[in-house]
Amino acid sequence: MELEKLIELDKKHFIHPTSSIQQQQANGPKAIIKKGEGIYLTDKNDNVYIDAMSSLWNVNVGHGREELVEAAAEQMKKLAFSSTFSTFSNEPAILLAEKISSIAPKGLNAVFFTSGGSESNDTAIKLARHYWRIQDKPEKRKIIGLNRAYHGVAAASTSATGIPEFWSMAGKMMVDIYHADNPYGNGTVKAIQSLRSVIESEGPETVAAFIAEPIQGAGGVLIPPKDYFQEVRNLCDDYGILFIADEVITGFGRTGKWFGIENYGVTPDVISFAKGVSSGYIQLGGVIVSDQIHDVLKDKSSGTLFHGYTYSGHPTAAAVGLKNIEILEEEELVENSRAMGEVMLEGFNKLKEDLDIVGDVRAIGLLGAVELVEDPALNKRFSRDLQVAPKVIEALHQRGVICRAVTYEDTDIICFSPPLIINKKQIETMTEKLHDAIKEVRNGLSATLK
């Protein structure tokens, strides 16, 4: 269909997620993507972009993988869909649950499937509350998350999210969810003191679980101190609280490990996942629970577990997930994520040396960020009305790079999570374009900064 007609239809009929409706109506869609191949996306005008965000942190094996198309088609020919309610099952779901258990941290061996990350985190929260209820502790239902966390946009996951902008639309829709300070600037000691304070003020006998991302993604790729999660684990053990690791972004090789929490030598009680499990080729997510939790569910549950989604254990989605993990293993993409992440961080550090508005830079595997500040030495932030990070994003778009800005609170952060198949030359091209984009914006700010 002609581009102008598509733009007209988009404006008339398509309400975009996490987008400005006014901007869409004024300008139409930013780009209409028609093709993906490797790390690249092509739009209807034949502009080619480096997909420096893996679209939404999720296209881990890259675009256009015929193996995943074939896996879906082969499964659809046999059994496209069959419900797994009432103990019905199917072979791909069984095999994927087994496979995920084999790569998960030791002791986590049972999987509940969902269609995506928001559903996964809602499921993790509900299972945590159910776990305590069936042990005659219904009062243990409170959930503690972190400020700047992002856990999704369903009822519980929105409430657990620690970014106030996500509450303004419809409010916190689930009660008994609280937030502690994160460690990404506060340090481990202050962050643990904050968490302990919330636990003790609410009463540990009322707290079901603590939930956190190993690295806060949408909050700005915020990487915690190395000892933070060990202290979290100790605190949860001391108070009898479950620890949920939200691995929706960090799972399946993104950080150079199968799961991000492995970077900290800690085993959670529950892992929520999505995104990289299917590299975005089909909707798939889930929750992995510890053997101890599974044993309690088996021993104490009576009657029906009244939780499940139409597509839980979807056979086609599971078949794609299995093939996706096979690709990650055969092409050693988890290791490539680690190695190329080091290259990416090296490039970011060169930006910091060369450009006077580049502040903190960071990366763990192929998950990284560059902060822009008016004065790096003083960590002086730009005025909000300057919108520096969005300007850099636009300059990158013009240079053929798609990535993401985070401007919560007083930050100007550029986030990166390219596909795990990316190579050294492609990373160098990406960082060169980033250098030029930041330099262009910096030059445009010269009069303001004087």
Side-chain angles (χ1 to χ4, degrees), residues 265-280:
V266 171
T267 301
D269 301 293
V270 179
I271 287 176
S272 55
F273 66 87
K275 295 189 184 292
V277 67
S278 67
S279 288

Side-chain angles (χ1 to χ4, degrees), residues 156-213:
S157 53
T158 294
S159 302
T161 288
I163 300 170
E165 286 84 347
F166 285 95
W167 306 332
S168 61
M169 178 184 175
K172 291 183 180 180
M173 293 171 281
M174 186 169 280
V175 299
D176 290 337
I177 296 183
Y178 304 84
H179 294 87
D181 293 337
N182 69 44
Y184 317 98
N186 298 306
T188 295
V189 173
K190 287 185 178 179
I192 292 297
Q193 286 174 344
S194 175
L195 178 55
R196 185 188 299 275
S197 176
V198 175
I199 292 170
E200 292 183 349
S201 65
E202 294 303 322
E205 71 281 358
T206 71
V207 179
F210 169 76
I211 184 170
E213 305 153 272

Side-chain angles (χ1 to χ4, degrees), residues 167-444:
W167 306 332
S168 61
M169 178 184 175
K172 291 183 180 180
M173 293 171 281
M174 186 169 280
V175 299
D176 290 337
I177 296 183
Y178 304 84
H179 294 87
D181 293 337
N182 69 44
Y184 317 98
N186 298 306
T188 295
V189 173
K190 287 185 178 179
I192 292 297
Q193 286 174 344
S194 175
L195 178 55
R196 185 188 299 275
S197 176
V198 175
I199 292 170
E200 292 183 349
S201 65
E202 294 303 322
E205 71 281 358
T206 71
V207 179
F210 169 76
I211 184 170
E213 305 153 272
I215 294 93
Q216 287 190 334
V221 186
L222 305 178
I223 302 172
K226 274 288 187 180
D227 61 344
Y228 173 71
F229 280 111
Q230 185 58 66
E231 293 302 317
V232 164
R233 179 72 273 179
N234 293 341
L235 201 60
C236 288
D237 290 343
D238 288 346
Y239 285 113
I241 295 169
L242 299 179
F243 171 28
I244 302 168
D246 176 354
E247 296 266 8
V248 171
I249 287 175
T250 53
F252 300 94
R254 174 56 56 191
T255 69
K257 302 280 189 180
W258 276 108
F259 293 94
I261 199 67
E262 294 177 281
N263 289 285
Y264 306 102
V266 171
T267 301
D269 301 293
V270 179
I271 287 176
S272 55
F273 66 87
K275 295 189 184 292
V277 67
S278 67
S279 288
Y281 278 70
I282 200 164
Q283 300 93 325
L284 180 62
V287 174
I288 321 168
V289 301
S290 69
D291 295 341
Q292 196 272 334
I293 291 176
H294 195 206
D295 287 343
V296 169
L297 294 177
K298 289 185 290 185
D299 293 343
K300 301 287 186 179
S301 292
S302 60
T304 300
L305 176 69
F306 282 99
H307 180 71
Y309 303 100
T310 297
Y311 298 128
S312 292
H314 192 292
T316 302
V320 172
L322 279 165
K323 178 58 69 172
N324 180 70
I325 294 173
E326 181 182 307
I327 292 170
L328 289 168
E329 289 181 322
E330 290 184 350
E331 298 183 10
E332 299 181 342
L333 294 182
V334 179
E335 171 57 24
N336 193 63
S337 176
R338 185 201 62 75
M340 291 302 100
E342 292 176 358
V343 174
M344 186 169 73
L345 182 57
E346 182 180 350
F348 289 169
N349 279 313
K350 289 179 181 178
L351 296 177
K352 187 172 182 177
E353 294 172 4
D354 194 45
L355 298 166
D356 65 358
I357 65 169
V358 175
D360 186 47
V361 299
R362 50 191 177 269
I364 180 167
L366 285 169
L367 185 60
V370 172
E371 291 208 36
L372 306 174
V373 293
E374 185 172 341
D375 186 336
L378 300 175
N379 198 28
K380 181 182 178 182
R381 306 289 174 160
F382 287 109
S383 170
R384 287 294 81 217
D385 60 351
L386 291 178
Q387 291 288 293
V388 178
K391 286 184 173 71
V392 173
I393 293 298
E394 180 57 31
L396 279 167
H397 184 82
Q398 298 304 318
R399 288 167 170 79
V401 179
I402 297 173
C403 59
R404 180 170 178 170
V406 169
T407 56
Y408 306 129
E409 299 174 1
D410 62 348
T411 59
D412 280 284
I413 300 173
I414 313 298
C415 299
F416 294 85
S417 63
L420 308 191
I421 60 169
I422 199 167
N423 61 40
K424 185 174 185 289
K425 183 177 180 181
Q426 291 168 333
I427 289 177
E428 289 170 349
T429 299
M430 181 184 77
T431 52
E432 286 168 8
K433 291 176 181 289
L434 175 60
H435 178 282
D436 293 346
I438 296 174
K439 186 175 181 180
E440 177 186 295
V441 171
R442 170 63 179 88
N443 290 341

Side-chain angles (χ1 to χ4, degrees), residues 91-132:
E91 185 173 341
I94 295 168
L95 295 180
L96 180 59
E98 178 196 35
K99 184 62 184 177
I100 290 172
S101 297
S102 75
I103 60 175
K106 186 177 180 181
L108 282 82
N109 290 296
V111 180
F112 182 101
F113 288 114
T114 72
S115 303
S118 294
E119 288 183 358
S120 296
N121 284 321
D122 269 41
T123 297
I125 288 169
K126 290 176 73 174
L127 285 176
R129 288 175 168 178
H130 179 66
Y131 168 81
W132 293 113

